[in-house]
Amino acid sequence: MKPSPSAVSQAFKSLKPHVPLIKFRKGSGTSHHVGQAGPTPSPVVAAAAARFPSAPATPLKQNEAYQLPSIEDWQLPSRFQRRPLDEEEIAFINRGGPDKL
């Protein structure tokens, strides 16, 4: 038995619009509601602006990203530097992994 077209249209009218339960910080793609304040700068952007003089003083637009200067290997603190490879590790890499069984 098929539902009548008026019953189907009545069912669609009673549906509420979907409201997502998860709120993402960036990239929502929706405009802000009237009366709400615009996006506030994140603490990371504020810290970058304080640390690097070339950082923009104004907050970034919604789909913009701020690129921090890259850090070279020699600039890393010792706790983040790679340890040197020993001969056993070099041989393991050169043979392509573990021994075949």
Side-chain angles (χ1 to χ4, degrees):
M1 183 166 150
K2 282 184 156 180
S4 68
S6 63
V8 173
S9 66
Q10 193 70 348
F12 278 117
K13 288 179 185 177
S14 65
L15 290 176
K16 295 180 182 176
H18 174 71
V19 178
L21 298 176
I22 300 173
K23 302 228 185 227
F24 294 99
R25 288 188 266 167
K26 291 186 179 179
S28 64
T30 59
S31 61
H32 294 285
H33 296 292
V34 176
Q36 284 185 338
T40 58
S42 68
V44 174
V45 173
R51 187 171 178 191
F52 300 104
S54 63
T58 60
L60 298 173
K61 294 179 183 171
Q62 185 174 356
N63 292 331
E64 270 186 293
Y66 178 72
Q67 187 173 2
L68 294 173
S70 60
I71 298 173
E72 298 297 328
D73 289 339
W74 57 270
Q75 294 173 316
L76 287 173
S78 60
R79 65 182 179 171
F80 297 117
Q81 289 179 353
R82 290 184 172 206
R83 61 178 176 78
L85 295 174
D86 59 355
E87 291 300 319
E88 184 179 339
E89 286 178 299
I90 293 171
F92 188 84
I93 294 168
N94 285 337
R95 72 173 175 253
D99 292 331
K100 296 179 182 175
L101 299 175

